[in-house]
Structure formats: structure tokens, C-alpha cells
Amino acid sequence: NQAECRYIVNLLLIKVLYYLNLKRDINKHILLIDNLAKYYIKNVIYLAIVKRYQIQYEEYVSPTLGPDKRFVYLSTTLLPLCKEYIKLSNQCTDLTLRLDGYKRIINIYIELSKLSVSSNLSTTSLSSSSVYSNISTSSSKEVFASLDKLETFYKDDDIEILESNNMLWLKEFSKARAKQWMKRLRLIDSSFNHNNQRAL
């Protein structure tokens, strides 16, 4: 239909605008395809693709930050977007989008594990605007929790709350979260390969 045609045309325009490095225009077209997907097409695959483009755009325009402020940026911007992308892609029959989402979130957790965080932020909300100014470049020796500890003591709902509100918890469990998503990725990947073999 007409909305789908406009959606596809704008996806192509976005690719051209990236080539031309026109950042403001890219965001305008992403907002347009988001509106088309939500209110006219109403198809989860189109919504998932929009979220993927939003993540790519955030990565494209992300400011140059020190390691600690980069941690906050990843935690408050890219990580939530990636979780939304995965939630949508999990509703799609196309496993390619799911694999892409899982790989992206694994990379975010790996990067988080490599960035230093000040020890005085244990109770600071990641959504707080004061987080940026409170971060110190100094940090004590890092100790990472195991995947076994994560899966034994925390349910998914608990993890979501802690990741959104406690920076040091997120730092401590960042490697474990990467490993947890790697396990999920392997399950999806094996299913993807199995389906391909059956089709041959």
C-alpha cells in the first residue's frame, strides 16, 4: 500500500543521507518511518526495523566521551533502545532481526565491562541527569560477578530494575549479562541453522 511504499522510499533516502553525512535530515526521516510503522502499517517487522535504524543513528551521532560518561551514555541510551529492538524482533518470524538484536546487546555489555565507573555511584539512578557530573575517572579494582550468580539469584524483572537504577550493579554483572545473551544467541543461531537445513 501507499504507507509501505513511503516507508521503503524513506529507508532508501536514509541510506543516501548517511553517505552525505546529513545528520539532521537522517533523524527527520527516521521519525517519519516510525510514524508510518506505528500508525499506518502497524506491522511488527516494520517497527523492529525502525528501532534498528534508531540504534544505528544513535551510534552515528554519539558524542566523544571519556570512559565513564560513555558508560552512562550506553546505559541510558543505547541499552534501552536495544532492549526495545529485541522485544520487537522476538515477535517477528524473521530470525535475522533477532540475531542482529542479540549481537548488538552483547557488544554493549562487553563495552560496558571495559569502562571504568566511580564507586560513589552505587545508589545513583542511571536516569538521573546528575550522573554525568558525579562520575570520577578513578575506580577501585574491578570484580565481575559470574553468570552462575546472575542466573541463581536474579530473575529477569529484578535484573531490569537493577540495570536501570544501579550503575555499579550493572558494571559488576556486565560480563555475566554478555554471557547470558551469548547463550540465548546460540539457541537462536542453532534454530536458524536447523531451519535452513530443513529447507534444503
Side-chain angles (χ1 to χ4, degrees):
N1 60 31
Q2 187 177 0
E4 289 177 342
C5 289
R6 290 183 64 199
Y7 182 96
I8 293 168
V9 167
N10 278 278
L11 287 182
L12 295 173
L13 282 171
I14 289 169
K15 292 181 181 294
V16 173
L17 292 169
Y18 270 117
Y19 178 76
L20 297 174
N21 197 31
L22 298 174
K23 296 180 181 180
R24 186 177 300 176
D25 290 337
I26 293 169
N27 190 45
K28 180 178 71 175
H29 286 281
I30 290 175
L31 291 174
L32 179 56
I33 62 171
D34 184 40
N35 183 68
L36 289 168
K38 283 179 179 176
Y39 303 111
Y40 296 93
I41 303 173
K42 299 179 182 179
N43 184 304
V44 69
I45 292 179
Y46 288 80
L47 291 167
I49 292 171
V50 170
K51 199 60 62 177
R52 182 171 183 251
Y53 272 70
Q54 289 174 339
I55 293 168
Q56 289 176 331
Y57 179 73
E58 284 297 334
E59 291 172 339
Y60 177 64
V61 299
S62 62
T64 302
L65 299 168
D68 299 317
K69 292 183 179 181
R70 174 70 177 170
F71 188 99
V72 178
Y73 180 77
L74 290 171
S75 306
T76 59
T77 303
L78 287 182
L79 185 58
L81 273 176
C82 200
K83 288 179 179 180
E84 291 172 14
Y85 176 36
I86 290 171
K87 185 176 180 180
L88 289 168
S89 64
N90 280 340
Q91 301 173 50
C92 302
T93 55
D94 185 352
L95 289 178
T96 306
L97 290 173
R98 295 174 69 181
L99 289 169
D100 179 63
Y102 284 29
K103 289 175 182 177
R104 286 177 183 275
I105 203 166
I106 288 167
N107 288 334
I108 290 172
Y109 282 118
I110 289 173
E111 185 174 353
L112 286 170
S113 72
K114 295 177 180 179
L115 297 173
S116 58
V117 179
S118 172
S119 59
N120 67 341
L121 292 176
S122 59
T123 59
T124 302
S125 170
L126 283 169
S127 61
S128 171
S129 60
S130 63
V131 169
Y132 280 98
S133 59
N134 289 337
I135 292 176
S136 167
T137 56
S138 61
S139 62
S140 57
K141 185 178 180 180
E142 295 171 346
V143 178
F144 293 98
S146 67
L147 176 59
D148 183 63
K149 181 178 179 180
L150 176 69
E151 295 183 335
T152 300
F153 294 103
Y154 299 97
K155 298 178 180 179
D156 288 344
D157 290 344
D158 299 325
I159 291 170
E160 290 303 318
I161 292 170
L162 286 163
E163 283 191 342
S164 299
N165 292 282
N166 192 311
M167 183 176 293
L168 292 188
W169 188 96
L170 177 56
K171 175 64 174 178
E172 181 184 351
F173 284 87
S174 54
K175 284 188 177 180
R177 286 289 274 161
K179 291 176 182 178
Q180 187 179 48
W181 281 100
M182 285 177 190
K183 283 177 61 177
R184 296 170 180 173
L185 175 62
R186 282 193 289 269
L187 288 174
I188 298 297
D189 200 25
S190 62
S191 174
F192 182 75
N193 292 331
H194 178 68
N195 288 341
N196 282 344
Q197 289 174 358
R198 288 181 63 184
L200 294 176

